[in-house]
Each structure stands twice: as C-alpha cells, then as structure tokens.
Amino acid sequence: IDNPYTNGNADAKLFISHNWNGSGSGVYNDHVSGLWYNGSNWTIFNEDAGIVPVVENSAYHILVADESQSTVFQHSAEAGNIVSNWTVLSHPELDGNPNARILVTQILISSAGNVYNNHEVGVWYDGSHWAIFNQDIAAMPVGASFNVLILNDDNSLLQTAVSGSIAGATTQIDHPALNDNPNAIVYVTQNWNGSGLGGVYNTSRVSTYYSTSSHKWTIYNEDILGMVENSKYNVYFGSQSFVHHSEAANISGNLTYFDNPLVNR
C-alpha cells in the first residue's frame, strides 16, 4: 500500500475489505486477507502463508483509522483470552454492550510472533464480552492478531441476510448512504449474533460489490456458495467526519471542491 498516511508508520491502524468490481471488472479473491508492515509500507497478503499469490487486479477498500476521532485498538489472542475457536475482547465501550458494532481486520505483528490465521473470522457477544472467532470452528492460534474498530450508528449498519435480500451468493444492502453511490467505501465483518439474536455461521469468505443493475451494494460469498439465511454483518461505510486539503487539483478560483463518498451527490 502506497499512501502518505501509512508509509513509514508502523503504528497506523488499517482495515481492508475486498471489492469485487473495484478495478472495473469482477475479480474474485477467495482467500483470507490480512495486513502486515514490511518496515516501510503496509501490505495486503493472503493468510495461506504466501503459498497462494494475491489475485492480480483484485481491489480493496482501505481504511486508515483516525485514532483522534474513533475508538480503535489492536488485540492479540493469548492463552488467557482464548476459548476454543475464539479470543475474548475486553474494552469499556464493548463490555456489557450486546448492540455494539465492531469492524475487524487480521494483522501480523512481530510482538505477537507474526502468527497466521487462515480462517474467515467474525465477532460474537458471549453475554458479557465480545469475541473474535473462526467461522469454521478451528482453534484460535496463540498470537493471531487483529485491528478492532468500534463503530457508530451514523456510519454503520447491521445487515441481516433475510430471504428478501438474498440472491444466490449475495445479500443486498438497502441504505440511503449507499444506494446509487458506486464510489462509496464499504467494509464488512461477520457478526454471529448481532442484536442479541441467535447465531448463524457463514464459513465463506465475504466481500462486497456494487450492483450496476440494482444500484445497491451487496455482500457476497467469494466461493459462490449460497448466502446463508439470517447470517449477519457489520457494515461500515465511512467516517462521520473527514479532513479536506485544498490543492491544485481541487481548487477553482476562490473555491475548493470536496470529493468524498459521504457527501457527493
């Protein structure tokens, strides 16, 4: 990733979601993706330990969290917080809050041993704490690490794949901030029991794409298997605020133009 906000910044907190048609044509990447810092740049990698290369022309939405405006932290799975296939989070904004929404991206960090976790993950609420879990029930490895972002109601939603929203491997999102907005930046984390409702697993890797026929964003399974009915997803679609820099490309006389998917249109 080549970006002035992250280059040379090992402490940056990034989040990614694959976008099927972000490069102009549909490209699948049916692999668990993660992030690691190579000493100068943050990079995207496939969690299968470098055995399978990243798919050429695959496209990714990348969020650089502004820690002054959002609650973001890193979490590593340790013996004391692992239970079977999940690792328990502890944070004052999450503990005792079953309605919290969380965005998660896997990372490799040297302080935790650079441990791979080649499994689709999600989050779930155990009655008092939120946890990150492997959807396929595989044991959570010691050292698996994650960036965690706590979302707000005005920049996120909980999507439930009900029968009316499902078409094949997809579930369609209907939200005014995203409809008719192909330039929106969308991120997804599976939520096993969002809103306290019963949990549903979806072991497929999930990503997003914009449908040019319905003019809506969708969540889809990368392996093309049917979308699991009643599976749930935390969807993040942008910061509630942003910083604008005037520069030659956006200045016209005494005006400087914003270009941001939340306020365009």
Side-chain angles (χ1 to χ4, degrees), residues 117-199:
N117 182 45
N118 188 26
H119 306 280
E120 178 73 5
V121 299
V123 297
W124 79 290
Y125 186 70
D126 69 4
S128 57
H129 294 87
W130 282 92
I132 301 169
F133 72 98
N134 288 332
Q135 293 274 356
D136 58 5
I137 320 298
M140 180 65 67
V142 172
S145 299
F146 308 88
N147 284 340
V148 182
L149 178 67
I150 301 174
L151 307 177
N152 301 307
D153 287 343
D154 60 355
N155 59 19
S156 68
L157 60 94
L158 177 67
Q159 170 77 3
T160 301
V162 296
S163 58
S165 76
I166 294 174
T170 74
T171 174
Q172 190 172 86
I173 303 168
D174 186 6
H175 192 279
L178 300 178
N179 297 346
D180 297 303
N181 189 1
N183 296 318
I185 309 296
V186 184
Y187 306 86
V188 176
T189 291
Q190 295 204 52
N191 186 342
W192 187 71
N193 57 346
S195 299
L197 302 177

Side-chain angles (χ1 to χ4, degrees), residues 135 158-162 165-166 171 190-194 198-203 206 219 221 226-233:
Q135 293 274 356
L158 177 67
Q159 170 77 3
T160 301
V162 296
S165 76
I166 294 174
T171 174
Q190 295 204 52
N191 186 342
W192 187 71
N193 57 346
V200 176
Y201 292 97
N202 179 19
T203 59
V206 296
I219 300 167
N221 289 335
M227 178 58 62
V228 178
E229 189 168 0
N230 292 321
S231 57
K232 302 174 183 66
Y233 307 88

Side-chain angles (χ1 to χ4, degrees), residues 185-253:
I185 309 296
V186 184
Y187 306 86
V188 176
T189 291
Q190 295 204 52
N191 186 342
W192 187 71
N193 57 346
S195 299
L197 302 177
V200 176
Y201 292 97
N202 179 19
T203 59
S204 299
R205 287 87 157 130
V206 296
S207 298
T208 64
Y209 80 94
Y210 181 76
S211 170
T212 55
S213 57
S214 67
H215 305 286
K216 290 182 171 66
W217 282 87
T218 74
I219 300 167
Y220 75 96
N221 289 335
E222 292 270 9
D223 56 12
I224 319 299
L225 293 178
M227 178 58 62
V228 178
E229 189 168 0
N230 292 321
S231 57
K232 302 174 183 66
Y233 307 88
N234 293 335
V235 179
Y236 176 67
F237 49 80
S239 174
Q240 57 193 338
S241 61
F242 62 94
V243 174
H244 173 76
H245 299 278
S246 58
E247 51 192 34
N250 60 46
I251 291 175
S252 175

